[in-house]
């Protein structure tokens, strides 16, 4: 009999999600008009400790709105890490602006403040740290750099709901932030996103852009360009059910990370993403560098695990090496940490309902795969 399949991610709908969705269906309030959108927005703003939350249909839309409300336009430059999900860069491109890719730090793999300072030009209009895999970026240093020059920080908090830095939750540390509610994120609505900000004017502008630029006081009168980035009441119903259980989700993911830590402690060749010295990591994904391997070896590890019915994934590829972004920003070859971590990194199964026994199976298979690859490899 073949072993049980362990996916890399899986939602846990353990709260009122079903009840709230049924309420939408039973009352026919399934569009973006409906109580769950505003109820979710209030609860999310309160959770993040921020003045305003604007729910959207995707996290990418929330990122795009964040840049739109800051007035990012063609010719502007936006600094971001190369080692992130491509949506961070796509949002910059939607505005016609130039993404300037910089390197990551050792350990946390987050945006490297020194590299940011070096990349600033007279055209820099925003700095976009990403709280990668749930680990808060070095916001103190980034804020010092940004504030000195009056450049706003846009947090890509898509992977990091609940993460903390310097006593504040992410989403309330930069001028504006974006979260994702995609199916594999810490809390989900299937597809969805949220923009957060303490600035009432920016929140109002985000609501305008979200709804076709329509004057909220005069229906079908459009005062600016806009998009349809609205979230449905159905999705917001799921999101609210998830958010009500956020502490359970965060505790479950912390337990997952601790189990991985315990079974990997004796293996110096498998180096997990480091924990922040200050702040709180929320473990969207437990990811590791497989030290001493090259990219082909890493891909082979993923294959061997797949044959054992364990799903893993490569880390993100550095965006500056992808066809649509080559030649932009800092250019290839200059971002050594992002390049190495991307080539040797692996993302391990991480979700709230993963058990200690399943984690033990993942790690036993991973260690066996590494031994097998070492023997397959021609001597060098
Ligand atoms: C998931 C993610 C996004 C985009 O979110 P979607 O909801 O999938 O559009 C943006 N940035 C990062 C870093 C992400 O992980």
């Amino acid at each position: 009999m073949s072993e049980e399949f362990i996916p890399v991610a899986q939602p846990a709908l353990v709260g009122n999600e079903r009840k709230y969705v049924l309420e939408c269906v039973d009352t026919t309030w399934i569009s973006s008009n409906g109580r769950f959108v505003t109820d979710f927005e209030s609860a999310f703003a309160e959770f993040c400790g921020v003045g305003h939350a604007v729910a959207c249909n995707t996290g990418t839309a929330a990122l795009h709105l964040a840049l739109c409300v800051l007035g990012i336009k063609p010719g502007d430059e936006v600094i971001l890490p190369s080692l992130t999900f491509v949506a961070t860069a796509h949002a910059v491109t939607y505005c016609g602006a130039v993404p300037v890719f910089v390197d990551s730090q050792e350990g946390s793999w987050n945006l490297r403040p020194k590299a940011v300072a070096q990349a600033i030009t007279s055209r820099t209009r925003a700095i976009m740290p990403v709280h990668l895999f749930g680990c808060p970026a070095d916001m103190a240093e980034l804020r010092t750099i940004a504030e000195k020059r009056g450049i706003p920080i846009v947090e890509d908090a898509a992977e990091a709901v609940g993460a903390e830095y310097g006593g504040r939750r992410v989403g309330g540390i930069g001028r504006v932030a974006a979260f994702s509610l995609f199916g594999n994120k810490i809390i989900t609505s299937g597809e969805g996103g949220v923009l957060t900000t303490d600035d009432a004017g920016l929140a109002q502008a985000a609501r305008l852009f979200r709804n076709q630029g329509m004057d909220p006081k005069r229906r079908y009168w459009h005062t600016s360009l806009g998009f349809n980035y609205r979230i449905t009441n159905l999705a917001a119903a799921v999101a609210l059910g998830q958010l009500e259980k956020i502490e359970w989700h965060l505790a479950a993911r912390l337990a997952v990370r601790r189990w991985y830590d315990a079974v990997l402690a004796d293996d110096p060749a498998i180096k997990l993403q480091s924990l922040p010295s200050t702040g709180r990591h929320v473990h969207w994904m437990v990811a590791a560098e497989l030290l001493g391997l090259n990219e082909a070896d890493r891909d082979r590890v993923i294959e061997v695990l797949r044959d054992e019915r364990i799903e893993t994934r490569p880390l993100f590829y550095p965006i500056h090496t992808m066809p649509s972004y080559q030649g932009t920003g800092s250019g290839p070859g200059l971002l050594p940490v992002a390049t190495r971590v991307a080539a040797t990194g692996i993302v391990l199964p991480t979700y709230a309902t993963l058990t200690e026994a399943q984690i033990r199976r993942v790690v036993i298979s991973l260690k066996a795969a590494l031994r097998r690859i070492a023997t397959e490899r021609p001597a060098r």
Side-chain angles (χ1 to χ4, degrees):
M1 209 188 76
S2 74
E3 291 222 65
E4 166 207 26
F5 174 68
I6 300 179
V8 76
Q10 183 170 283
L13 307 176
V14 295
N16 286 322
E17 294 87 348
R18 179 187 163 84
K19 180 178 155 206
Y20 292 164
V21 166
L22 286 176
E23 181 184 318
C24 297
V25 173
D26 292 341
T27 60
T28 76
W29 286 97
I30 57 172
S31 81
S32 54
N33 298 317
R35 78 165 182 109
F36 290 116
V37 176
T38 44
D39 286 0
F40 171 70
E41 287 180 338
S42 310
F44 196 84
E46 190 184 329
F47 175 74
C48 293
V50 74
H52 310 272
V54 180
C56 306
N57 56 349
T58 67
T60 307
L63 277 172
H64 185 202
L65 286 183
L67 295 175
C68 283
V69 298
L70 292 175
I72 305 299
K73 58 182 192 312
D76 291 348
E77 291 177 0
V78 176
I79 297 173
L80 71 162
S82 184
L83 192 68
T84 174
F85 181 54
V86 75
T88 322
H90 279 352
V92 176
T93 307
Y94 298 161
C95 297
V98 179
V100 176
F101 298 107
V102 304
D103 206 5
S104 305
Q105 284 176 305
E106 293 285 358
S108 75
W109 314 331
N110 273 324
L111 192 56
R112 188 169 169 253
K114 270 208 186 71
V116 171
Q118 285 163 2
I120 289 175
T121 73
S122 58
R123 292 178 299 281
T124 306
R125 293 289 175 272
I127 298 169
M128 281 176 103
V130 178
H131 306 301
L132 200 70
F133 299 125
C135 180
D138 189 347
M139 296 305 287
E141 276 221 45
L142 291 171
R143 279 185 64 156
T144 304
I145 291 164
E147 278 163 17
K148 200 155 53 182
R149 298 167 179 85
I151 301 169
I153 291 180
V154 178
E155 294 175 74
D156 183 340
E159 304 176 354
V161 63
E164 291 169 27
Y165 187 93
R168 279 211 73 167
R169 288 228 162 97
V170 302
I173 305 173
R175 273 294 292 290
V176 52
F179 292 84
S180 169
L181 301 171
F182 178 63
N184 68 4
K185 295 288 160 65
I186 293 176
I187 61 168
T188 180
S189 58
E191 297 278 3
V194 197
L195 174 149
T196 56
T197 182
D198 268 324
D199 185 315
L202 293 184
Q204 196 184 5
R207 292 181 192 284
L208 199 68
F209 278 119
R210 179 179 64 173
N211 190 29
Q212 309 280 19
M214 185 164 81
D215 187 337
K217 294 196 200 73
R218 192 174 174 196
R219 291 181 81 199
Y220 298 99
W221 183 255
H222 301 268
T223 54
S224 76
L225 181 70
F227 314 95
N228 178 356
Y229 281 170
R230 300 182 304 258
I231 191 170
T232 64
N233 202 42
L234 279 167
V238 176
L240 182 62
Q242 292 268 289
L243 184 59
E244 289 171 349
K245 286 277 182 187
I246 182 85
E247 295 303 340
W248 178 87
H249 287 278
L250 296 177
R253 282 170 184 275
L254 178 61
V256 165
R257 169 66 192 245
R258 288 194 171 144
W259 285 323
Y260 273 117
D261 277 334
V263 279
L264 287 171
D266 64 343
D267 199 326
I270 304 170
K271 194 166 156 253
L272 295 181
Q273 183 188 27
S274 62
L275 299 172
S277 52
T278 157
R280 178 185 190 188
H281 189 318
V282 282
H283 311 294
W284 170 53
M285 286 285 162
V286 173
E289 269 191 85
L290 303 176
L291 300 182
L293 264 57
N294 59 31
E295 191 170 330
D297 291 338
R298 188 274 316 270
D299 291 346
R300 183 87 182 101
V301 171
I302 290 174
E303 230 172 78
V304 170
L305 290 173
R306 189 193 303 130
D307 290 344
E308 303 201 9
R309 300 183 47 74
I310 295 168
E311 185 188 21
T312 56
R313 0 169 302 201
L315 246 99
F316 298 118
Y317 296 99
I319 300 174
H320 74 280
T321 65
M322 293 188 194
S324 55
Y325 286 104
Q326 269 168 28
T328 60
S330 299
L334 299 175
L335 310 180
V337 177
T339 304
R340 190 201 69 231
V341 173
T344 64
I346 188 168
V347 174
L348 302 173
T350 314
Y351 47 91
T353 53
L354 195 64
T355 65
E356 187 175 7
Q358 287 170 319
I359 288 167
R360 226 175 294 121
R361 193 183 131 209
V362 169
V363 171
I364 288 169
S365 295
L366 173 61
K367 289 181 178 178
L370 289 173
R371 279 195 301 274
R372 185 165 147 194
I373 278 147
T375 59
E376 280 175 3
R377 203 161 32 193
R380 344 185 221 236

